[in-house]
Amino acid sequence: MGIEMHADLEAVLARELAGYTVRSVKPLGAGVDNIAYEVNDELIVRFAAEPDHERRAEIVRREAQLLDALGEFSSLPVPEPVLASPDDGFLAYHKLPGVPLASLPEPQRVGPRFAATMAEFLTRLHSAPVSQLRNLVDVALEPLEHWLGYARSDYLNVVGSIPPAVRKPIESLLAAPVPEANFAPAFCHNDLGAEHVLVDSDSRECTGILDWTDAAISDPARDFGRLYRDCGPTVVDAALAGYGGGPDLRERAIFYGRCAVFEDIAHGLETGKRMYARNAIAALGWLFPA
């Protein structure tokens, strides 16, 4: 879906938003699940990438309902739909303030209150009643062995781009047993990478959380895992202290962070989005210490 769809987008927005005039449309990029555009520097319009019409409509419908429900459970701003058009395969929401955390360089990527903010956010999110959200999200409880298998496969695909000095620690830890998986499933963002966390570019404090497409009933350590991958142990340890997570949760978070780093390297290399590969390779030092 490219620039040629702008006329259709303009027509749909004008029809659904009572004469809304489209003055500018800027492509923001395409991911596995969505293709996003910024309209008039104020609206974000996300098209579901699913090719099947019925499935695509259901994805948009469910995500819009989920975003409406999240106001009760999120301590941070999340997108609030101003328009959900399942038949057209998209939803639109007002642009949230801030920039993606992934776009900021290390060191000092996050502000001094960031960890406490994430602790509060995840405490409330993971306490949301599963029964109330079960119909809006999937259940994602794959065995940890599956995660390790995918990580080993992804590592073999990107090993040529990984600094030789860190390969031995990686291979040693990828050969180790998986952690114990004793946890109560919770409602999770389930893709809480730095690309979906917005921060103020000056204070580096969190201003919002994007992209709830993969939200699921899952292991709460998954949300900490991507934070560990992208922000490192100091931030996650401080967040876990505020959250109240024990050593088992931390161990699984580290495991998920290690497994997820190779898919980001692969994604960056395959798509030309070098930011993903660069950030992921920079994280290997704390993910796989010698």
Side-chain angles (χ1 to χ4, degrees), residues 14-42:
R15 182 187 73 224
E16 300 290 343
L17 296 180
Y20 186 85
T21 300
V22 174
R23 299 183 302 276
S24 65
V25 178
K26 179 172 71 174
L28 294 180
V32 174
D33 300 311
N34 298 286
I35 303 166
Y37 296 85
E38 184 177 306
V39 178
N40 294 349
D41 297 320
E42 63 181 8

Side-chain angles (χ1 to χ4, degrees), residues 253-277:
I254 295 172
F255 171 81
Y256 288 125
R258 287 171 173 165
C259 289
V261 73
F262 304 112
E263 67 181 7
D264 258 26
I265 296 174
H267 178 68
L269 296 176
E270 291 167 4
T271 63
K273 298 177 180 179
R274 305 296 298 183
M275 176 187 75
Y276 286 89

